[in-house]
Amino acid sequence: MEYRAAHAGKAKTVLHAISLRPVRGGIFVEGKTIRGAVWVRPIAAAHVLSVNGRQYRGRFLVQSSGNGYLDVIEYVELEKYLYGVLPREVGAQWPLEALKAQAVISRTFALANRAERKGSGFDLVNDVRSQVYGGFIDEARETNHAVDLTTGQV
């Protein structure tokens, strides 16, 4: 199962060595204007992508919002999504049992609220309107461990 989380992008978004920017009628990529959306994927599963200086695990659908911005929608597995949620919702220094409880709560919330934005092209946003999600760059060993210990539990 994958989760889609929306990230607001500024006038220029850099994904690895590819520069994308909104232009009238599409997205300017490598000297060409692309109409519609662009998929950006990491070279290998172990790699991460960067958007506005933040690193993420998933792959992205990038599309022009039509107002000088790019809409960047991350597609990421639920458990990997939770890796980026727990450190932002609670602290990695919390006791393991509290982190495990938060992992179950966050997983339950994500599953229960994914249909809330049906038709918008994404399941969750990366701020307090859903759960605060920081992506790969905010992951911590302790919170990842709590997610792994509770995999699939709701």
Side-chain angles (χ1 to χ4, degrees):
M1 175 177 296
E2 292 184 328
Y3 266 74
R4 297 167 288 177
H7 305 277
K10 294 286 182 191
K12 185 176 182 183
T13 301
V14 177
L15 305 173
H16 280 275
I18 301 171
S19 177
L20 291 85
R21 63 183 168 85
V23 294
R24 187 171 304 232
I27 303 170
F28 190 74
V29 182
E30 309 249 314
K32 298 183 227 175
T33 297
I34 309 271
R35 307 240 183 269
V38 175
W39 279 100
V40 181
R41 302 168 195 261
I43 295 169
H47 293 127
V48 296
L49 297 174
S50 179
V51 175
N52 293 334
R54 295 195 67 81
Q55 295 176 327
Y56 299 94
R57 287 183 178 268
R59 64 188 199 276
F60 296 100
L61 178 65
V62 181
Q63 54 198 18
S64 176
S65 64
N67 60 1
Y69 290 87
L70 294 175
D71 290 332
V72 181
I73 301 172
E74 179 185 18
Y75 285 70
V76 65
E77 297 171 16
L78 177 58
E79 301 303 315
K80 304 288 192 252
Y81 164 76
L82 294 173
Y83 285 174
V85 167
L86 256 63
R88 298 295 297 261
E89 289 285 322
V90 298
Q93 72 281 1
W94 282 27
L96 179 60
E97 291 304 312
L99 293 175
K100 287 168 51 181
Q102 184 64 46
V104 173
I105 291 165
S106 292
R107 188 179 296 105
T108 303
F109 180 92
L111 291 169
N113 289 281
R114 68 182 182 178
E116 188 174 302
R117 291 178 172 76
K118 193 172 186 161
S120 63
F122 56 89
D123 297 322
L124 302 164
V125 294
N126 63 344
D127 60 27
V128 296
R129 292 172 290 163
S130 291
Q131 299 182 96
V132 181
Y133 171 69
F136 178 79
I137 197 165
D138 285 339
E139 291 181 17
R141 183 179 48 83
E142 298 83 1
T143 52
N144 286 5
H145 184 59
V147 170
D148 292 341
L149 288 173
T150 62
T151 298
Q153 294 178 26
V154 293

